[in-house]
Amino acid sequence: MATRTITGIHHVTAIAGDPQRNLDFYTAVLGLRLVKLTVNFDDPGTYHFYFGNDAGAPGSILTFFPWVGIRRGIVGSGQVTATTFAVTTQSVPYWERRLTDHGVTITRVGERFGERVIVFSDPDGLPLEVVATPHADPTAAWSNGPVDGEHAICGFHSATLSEEGYE
């Protein structure tokens, strides 16, 4: 049997509260493109938002099922505990300023594995990070969005998964 390798993240899915607040945050603040708007096929009364890069390529898609009035989640084991986006290496000051200007609380700015990291949460408390990496490809970013192409999110950098045990 051949060894199979995971080559990247296809997409990450999360739950949100207010649909308009979610849409506004990911498009107007983070500058992601609303790639697709559909419904949850198991609950057709619920939206399913797809946010991503210019092409809506795998490795850039963050989807949400927003339910008005849903209780805020608790970050813990067995789930993605931080979704991390890639930006170019010169973009950290831009993102610090942009997030602050939009009223987003930055909980930490530091370094991890030699790359600058900005840690914050979305309006529903979903942990997010922006990592300035030389691997970010600005040609993949949404070119017509509210964020300058040189600083725009280029796709996922990584996702942090929390597990219960080391086994």
Side-chain angles (χ1 to χ4, degrees):
M1 177 183 269
T3 303
R4 296 181 188 243
T5 302
I6 297 173
T7 58
I9 300 169
H10 185 274
H11 72 281
V12 174
T13 297
I15 295 173
D18 180 77
Q20 188 64 56
R21 182 182 66 199
N22 181 262
L23 181 67
D24 292 345
F25 180 79
Y26 284 92
T27 58
V29 177
L30 294 189
L32 296 175
R33 180 175 159 242
L34 178 62
V35 174
K36 183 178 179 183
L37 170 60
T38 186
V39 296
N40 179 341
F41 297 113
D42 295 323
D43 178 11
T46 300
Y47 289 117
H48 191 182
F49 295 150
Y50 292 68
F51 301 104
N53 70 1
D54 211 17
S60 77
I61 302 296
L62 178 58
T63 80
F64 284 92
F65 294 111
W67 280 293
V68 175
I70 194 162
R71 182 177 64 87
R72 189 173 218 149
I74 298 169
V75 177
S77 64
Q79 61 181 301
V80 174
T81 52
T83 301
T84 307
F85 297 104
V87 296
T88 58
T89 55
Q90 74 273 13
S91 295
V92 170
Y94 175 88
W95 278 101
E96 286 180 284
R97 190 172 47 258
R98 182 172 184 82
L99 293 169
T100 302
D101 288 350
H102 282 88
V104 177
T105 301
I106 295 172
T107 55
R108 186 171 63 80
V109 176
E111 194 169 297
R112 183 172 43 216
F113 304 115
E115 296 176 324
R116 299 285 295 158
V117 182
I118 302 171
V119 180
F120 59 101
S121 296
D122 80 357
D124 289 301
L126 184 69
L128 300 172
E129 299 174 333
V130 172
V131 172
T133 177
H135 305 291
D137 177 7
T139 65
W142 183 24
S143 56
N144 294 318
V147 176
D148 277 347
E150 67 182 297
H151 300 295
I153 290 172
C154 303
F156 290 128
H157 175 275
S158 57
T160 302
L161 307 174
S162 293
E163 294 296 326
E164 189 173 323
Y166 64 88
E167 300 87 4

